[in-house]
DNA sequence: AATTAATTATGAACACTGTTCAATAAGTAT
DNA sequence: ATACTTATTGAACAGTGTTCATAATTAATT
């Protein structure tokens, strides 16, 4: 058999990504394979490799769509006007909730690494950067006197921390004898951290609220 | 060929684990395979499966040894007597430093998951628990009035947070335009969090220092 | 309309993977 | 010396991602 043109290039990409996405809603990525995907969408393995470059690149496209979904989910709770601390907590909770709801897809985003020679495309970096920009803006409102450098640093610390709790929560490695809901953990984390930041030793004055 | 008894059961385990460990000091686990390990230690793949149960179980033994090393590395900085806040920061820095020095081994610990039916043996859980116990004791010294529940919760939040920054640091996903050393990030995290915890709204009195 | 050129999907082949299992040799007990 | 148990194996199995010549379809050119 040969050239078919049943579907456009975009369509193949979409079919692939969306099928993998629904697969990941039930099974984890480790049990998935290029050949399964190929069979599922009715093309040969070779075709998919032609299309995406490699299986790894295919998964990267899946990750892109996951990050879009995540971004979307987090935009929901982010209403303008309320106090920034509460908004940050909202963001974090959305992050956690998304990870717990899309365990396999979410894990794939952070565990998938390309092989040596292929490096992360910038359309992927951009998606990650959106998170920081939002967070930084909120942090600025929390502590208006903070320098750009300080905001940058704190955004990373805060995101990293929430991410850490999320990773462990998703893997059930946070087994607490006293079972506190994970949501409350990120809340406690953020309130304590922000309050410590604003009243902190070598810090400037505080922003609205807190 | 058949039974050889060149090595005892323990020796085979040790040879395997230590060879994989040195492998991981340069290459990552994804490029490793049961067959490579088998060839390296001079046994057949089947023998290793008989021994460990599965390749996954083999890797679990490697993870155990990694956790032992980690535990050892963290014990170094943990000298009794100094103020608990500084000690917690030391712990966290050791954690980060270890992860950065043993990237591949460390990643394997947190990314390796057994298949459906095999569940994590308790000799693995115990190793993870050691961390918490240490941390909880230090936290108790920071805030002596804190309840057991509160200590438990805060130990998890704190460890999760440090873990998160570490994960991202190891994966170079913490790309900051302003490049703050990662060490300083965990320090800032902990100081702010602890100070926020002790002076916090619904909190008890504070402990020694801070 | 007929011919050529460019494109695209393919199946077969390749070198690998973890795992199973009958055959077999070595060690132990009778 | 015989029987039994145990450890190790190679071959086979079903699977993996990737390569590539082959072939078929579309597009461009005569």
């Amino acid at each position: 058999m040969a050239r078919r043109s049943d579907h456009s290039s975009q369509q193949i990409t979409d079919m692939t990504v969306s099928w993998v996405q629904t697969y990941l809603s039930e099974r984890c990525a480790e049990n998935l394979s290029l050949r399964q995907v190929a069979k599922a969408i009715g093309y040969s393995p070779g075709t998919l490799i032609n299309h995406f470059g490699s299986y790894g690149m295919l998964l990267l496209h899946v990750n892109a769509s996951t990050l879009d979904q995540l971004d979307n989910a987090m935009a929901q709770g982010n209403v303008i006007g309320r106090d920034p601390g509460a908004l940050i907590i909202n963001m974090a909770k959305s992050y956690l909730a998304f990870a717990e709801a899309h365990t396999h897809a979410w894990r794939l985003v952070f565990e998938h690494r390309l092989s040596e020679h292929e490096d992360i495309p910038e359309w992927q970096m951009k998606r990650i950067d959106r998170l920081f920009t939002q967070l930084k803006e909120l942090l600025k409102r929390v502590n208006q006197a903070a320098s750009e450098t300080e905001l940058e640093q704190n955004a990373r610390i805060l995101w990293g921390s929430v991410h850490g709790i999320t990773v462990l929560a998703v893997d059930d490695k946070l087994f607490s004898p006293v079972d506190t809901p994970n949501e409350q953990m990120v809340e406690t984390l953020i309130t304590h951290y922000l309050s410590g930041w604003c009243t902190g030793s070598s810090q400037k004055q505080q922003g609205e609220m807190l």
Side-chain angles (χ1 to χ4, degrees), chain A:
Chain A
M1 205 191 296
R3 187 169 189 178
R4 288 167 31 183
S5 76
D6 296 354
H7 306 96
S8 72
S9 177
Q10 253 303 320
Q11 282 177 313
I12 292 187
T13 308
D14 293 345
M15 287 165 63
T16 309
V17 170
S18 90
W19 186 85
V20 173
Q21 209 66 257
T22 64
Y23 178 96
L24 291 176
S25 71
E26 290 189 336
R27 293 170 186 80
C28 83
E30 291 176 39
N31 302 330
L32 185 59
S33 73
L34 173 63
R35 291 181 121 101
Q36 284 179 67
V37 182
K39 184 165 285 178
I41 67 159
Y43 278 82
S44 77
T47 302
L48 286 181
I49 293 229
N50 280 0
H51 228 84
F52 292 100
S54 69
Y55 182 48
M57 279 293 181
L58 187 158
L59 293 179
L60 213 82
H61 279 259
V62 176
N63 285 345
S65 92
T66 305
L67 283 175
D68 285 339
Q69 285 178 248
L70 172 62
D71 201 58
N72 208 52
M74 289 182 55
Q76 303 287 343
N78 198 350
V79 192
I80 301 173
R82 299 184 43 207
D83 86 287
L87 286 177
I88 294 177
I89 290 176
N90 266 11
M91 267 184 81
K93 283 187 180 174
S94 301
Y95 192 82
L96 175 66
F98 183 88
E100 284 180 330
H102 307 80
T103 318
H104 301 123
W106 190 81
R107 269 210 276 249
L108 188 60
V109 172
F110 293 97
E111 293 187 359
H112 179 56
R113 270 174 296 278
L114 299 166
S115 38
E116 309 277 328
H117 294 283
E118 13 183 38
D119 45 335
I120 307 167
E122 37 83 57
W123 49 259
Q124 196 73 324
M125 311 272 277
K126 276 189 184 172
R127 275 163 236 257
I128 296 170
D129 220 54
R130 282 187 300 209
L131 271 174
F132 281 112
T133 326
Q134 282 180 61
L135 191 48
K136 261 167 53 184
E137 279 166 16
L138 289 173
L139 283 175
K140 185 178 267 171
R141 289 175 55 195
V142 171
N143 189 338
Q144 280 147 354
S147 68
E148 180 62 24
T149 311
E150 207 182 339
L151 289 175
E152 195 75 56
Q153 197 199 129
N154 279 287
R156 258 138 191 103
I157 293 175
L158 216 44
W159 180 56
S161 303
V162 172
H163 179 72
I165 293 180
T166 307
V167 184
L168 297 177
V170 159
D171 281 11
D172 280 317
K173 273 176 180 151
L174 219 47
F175 23 60
S176 172
V178 192
D179 62 334
T180 322
N182 298 323
E183 285 205 342
Q184 207 209 299
M185 293 194 119
V186 302
E187 179 158 357
T188 312
L189 164 70
I190 292 171
T191 45
H192 285 171
Y193 183 83
L194 290 184
S195 110
W197 179 37
C198 293
T199 66
S201 43
S202 61
Q203 299 308 329
K204 334 286 149 79
Q205 70 184 80
Q206 63 185 77
E208 39 171 319
M209 263 170 244
L210 274 167

